[in-house]
Amino acid sequence: MLPVLVNIASLLAGLVLMEGVAWAMHRYVMHGVLWNWHRSHHEPAGRGPELNDLFGLVFAAIAVGLFWAGAKPGWSPLWWLALGVTLYGVLYALVHDGLVHRRFPFPVRADRGYLLRLVRAHHLHHMTRGRDGAVSFGFLLAQDPERLAAQLQRRRQAP
């Protein structure tokens, strides 16, 4: 029973902790040293591939490495952690690419509740075209859009 609980905890840890990893990557890497990849996501574009999509491949490669390591005897929690990371990636694709940016047909509309909050927060993130001054770097957890809008306004007014 204990190994099952450890595996479930590993899956949940991978799923939950990825929001923090994704936030930090988005804030400090995508809007930092790898802005040249992420810039494509902040520029008006069609629905085709963006250079920014390479980040998905990087995260997928990390998950594949965890699956590989977790397939070894005695290392199954890593396999379940990789499954949590992968589930986060699926949710990210559905919410960010499907719901928010409509990069593929998505059956859900964000007309109220938390989904609308996610969409509004991410659209506020896109109010800046450059790498600096943006707000809201999370993907599945969104701050209050009114507070984000006020923060964005303060940043624009700062000298």
Side-chain angles (χ1 to χ4, degrees):
M1 182 66 172
L2 184 60
V4 171
L5 294 176
V6 169
N7 291 341
I8 291 170
S10 297
L11 181 144
L12 293 174
L15 182 60
V16 171
L17 293 175
M18 271 307 294
E19 179 67 10
V21 170
W23 183 94
M25 287 287 296
H26 191 192
R27 173 66 183 92
Y28 297 109
V29 176
M30 294 176 183
H31 280 258
V33 296
L34 289 179
W35 171 250
N36 58 329
W37 285 14
H38 188 60
R39 178 188 298 121
S40 66
H41 186 61
H42 281 264
E43 295 172 345
R47 293 189 175 171
E50 303 172 349
L51 190 59
N52 181 68
D53 295 333
L54 291 174
F55 287 111
L57 296 175
V58 170
F59 283 120
I62 292 168
V64 166
L66 288 170
F67 276 123
W68 178 80
K72 296 176 182 175
W75 289 90
S76 66
L78 282 180
W79 191 94
W80 290 93
L81 182 75
L83 184 59
V85 170
T86 301
L87 289 175
Y88 181 89
V90 169
L91 289 172
Y92 167 84
L94 292 173
V95 171
H96 180 264
D97 292 340
L99 179 69
V100 175
H101 289 292
R102 298 286 181 196
R103 292 182 72 189
F104 56 83
F106 194 70
V108 176
R109 292 270 175 207
D111 53 5
R112 66 187 187 306
Y114 192 74
L115 293 180
L116 180 60
R117 180 181 176 130
L118 279 173
V119 170
R120 289 181 62 210
H122 195 74
H123 284 275
L124 286 166
H125 174 77
H126 281 271
M127 294 295 291
T128 58
R129 294 284 180 228
R131 79 182 221 176
D132 299 321
V135 296
S136 187
F137 293 94
F139 291 110
L140 298 179
L141 297 178
Q143 295 173 290
D144 175 37
E146 290 180 16
R147 291 179 66 198
L148 291 171
Q151 184 181 6
L152 188 61
Q153 186 65 27
R154 284 191 304 274
R155 288 183 180 179
R156 287 181 171 173
Q157 292 172 347

